[in-house]
Amino acid sequence: MRRIRASVGAAALVLTVGALLAGCSQEYQDERGKGDAPVEGGKGEDTPAEVYNMPDGFGNLATKCVGHGFRAYVTTNATGPSNVQVVEDKSCVG
């Protein structure tokens, strides 16, 4: 009986790890490994962002209105994830 429980536990662990790894798909990665999430219908809101270039070694900053009444600030980082802040901005009306 212990062997059956151990086998079931091991199978559950393997399935859980497999599901987690499947969620980390590389399907949307571009050649630099910085892919975007899929957008329903392949169309999204593509207005350009304002980009502020920082000196080499520092993340650049991009900002634009997102949704209605909000502004997003995003920094790039060559060695890790980008930083994102979304704040209320009354000048962002749509």
Side-chain angles (χ1 to χ4, degrees), residues 48-62:
E50 295 177 58
V51 177
Y52 300 93
N53 294 322
M54 299 297 178
D56 285 347
F58 294 90
N60 295 331
L61 172 72

Side-chain angles (χ1 to χ4, degrees), residues 64-88:
K64 70 181 280 185
C65 292
V66 293
H68 300 288
F70 295 94
R71 177 171 293 279
Y73 294 92
V74 181
T75 60
T76 59
N77 188 339
T79 60
S82 66
N83 296 301
V84 178
Q85 290 289 320
V86 177
V87 297
E88 188 174 0

Side-chain angles (χ1 to χ4, degrees), residues 45 47-49 63-72 89 91-93:
E45 193 278 306
T47 59
T63 182
K64 70 181 280 185
C65 292
V66 293
H68 300 288
F70 295 94
R71 177 171 293 279
D89 185 342
S91 70
C92 293
V93 293

Side-chain angles (χ1 to χ4, degrees), residues 7-42:
S7 296
V8 169
L13 179 62
V14 167
L15 289 173
T16 301
V17 170
L20 289 173
L21 291 176
C24 298
S25 171
Q26 300 297 313
E27 180 179 348
Y28 299 106
Q29 297 298 322
D30 62 14
E31 64 277 359
R32 297 176 306 149
K34 297 184 177 197
D36 286 333
V39 177
E40 185 177 340

